[in-house]
């Protein structure tokens, strides 16, 4: 029994060795001195979140955070009541710009959601990949799904194949 417990704690300690640093840096030009918090999503059902890092932007709106993660993580960047979703990968580096927020924009009950602008240099950036997938997903359901539920196209793989070029251009 002692060996099993020792092995369990050994595995638990070894798993923390595999954690890697993800760097999140960027600019909030319209709000110098802004309070910035990075939270990770622990549970998608309850919405439980844990603080990964906190910082404040400098006089020019620049900020920098390093966090230890061991898997792709859904995170939320909170900046003075504004929330942006961010996907972090171990050993990832993310250079983001928070767009200027018009204060006349409506706010939701808990926070206003804003899309971050990512530096386009890194094709491996998971955030750019997710955004591209979401564009294709929305296009598919807007353009193709109505046809696929009609009786004449129902279950037609040839219809999808013939329109693949339209889908890939999104």
């Amino acid at each position: 029994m002692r060996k099993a417990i020792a092995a369990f704690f050994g595995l638990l300690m070894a798993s923390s060795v595999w954690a890697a640093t993800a760097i999140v840096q960027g600019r909030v030009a319209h709000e110098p001195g802004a309070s910035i918090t990075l939270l990770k999503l622990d549970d998608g059902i309850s919405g439980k979140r844990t603080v990964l890092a906190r910082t404040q932007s400098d006089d020019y709106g620049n900020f920098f955070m390093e966090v230890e993660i061991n898997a792709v993580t859904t995170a939320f960047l909170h900046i003075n009541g504004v929330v942006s979703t961010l996907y972090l990968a171990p050993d990832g580096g993310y250079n983001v710009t928070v767009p200027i927020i018009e204060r006349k924009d409506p706010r939701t009950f808990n926070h206003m959601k804003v899309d971050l602008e990512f530096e386009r240099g890194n094709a491996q950036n998971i955030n750019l990949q997710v955004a591209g997938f979401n564009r294709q997903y929305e296009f598919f359901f807007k353009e193709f799904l109505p046809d696929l539920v009609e009786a004449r196209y129902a279950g037609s793989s040839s219809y999808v194949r013939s329109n693949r070029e339209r889908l890939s251009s999104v």
Side-chain angles (χ1 to χ4, degrees), residues 140 144 148 155-165 167:
F140 175 81
F144 295 124
L148 290 175
S156 172
S157 59
S158 62
Y159 173 79
V160 174
R161 273 196 306 273
S162 67
N163 288 290
R164 187 172 287 157
E165 187 175 309
L167 186 60

Side-chain angles (χ1 to χ4, degrees), residues 84-130:
S84 297
T85 304
L86 184 65
Y87 300 96
L88 304 176
D91 289 328
Y94 305 94
N95 193 352
V96 300
T97 301
V98 179
I100 294 176
I101 299 150
E102 297 292 329
R103 290 297 175 198
K104 64 182 179 186
D105 288 346
R107 290 181 178 258
T108 59
F109 176 70
N110 53 0
H111 293 292
M112 184 168 71
K113 293 176 176 43
V114 171
D115 292 329
L116 296 172
E117 297 169 3
F118 291 91
E119 185 178 276
R120 291 228 174 246
N122 185 358
Q124 297 300 315
N125 184 340
I126 191 170
N127 295 283
L128 297 176
Q129 293 172 359
V130 168

Side-chain angles (χ1 to χ4, degrees), residues 38-99:
L38 185 65
L39 301 131
K40 78 172 184 169
L41 182 64
D42 288 332
D43 181 15
I45 296 173
S46 70
K48 182 179 181 239
R49 299 174 183 186
T50 304
V51 174
L52 290 174
R54 282 193 169 106
T55 190
Q56 219 170 358
S57 62
D58 64 16
D59 293 339
Y60 302 102
N62 298 317
F63 65 92
F64 180 88
M65 291 185 273
E66 287 183 347
V67 294
E68 294 292 323
I69 56 173
N70 53 12
V72 173
T73 303
T74 302
F76 300 94
L77 199 59
H78 285 247
I79 304 168
N80 290 349
V82 174
V83 180
S84 297
T85 304
L86 184 65
Y87 300 96
L88 304 176
D91 289 328
Y94 305 94
N95 193 352
V96 300
T97 301
V98 179

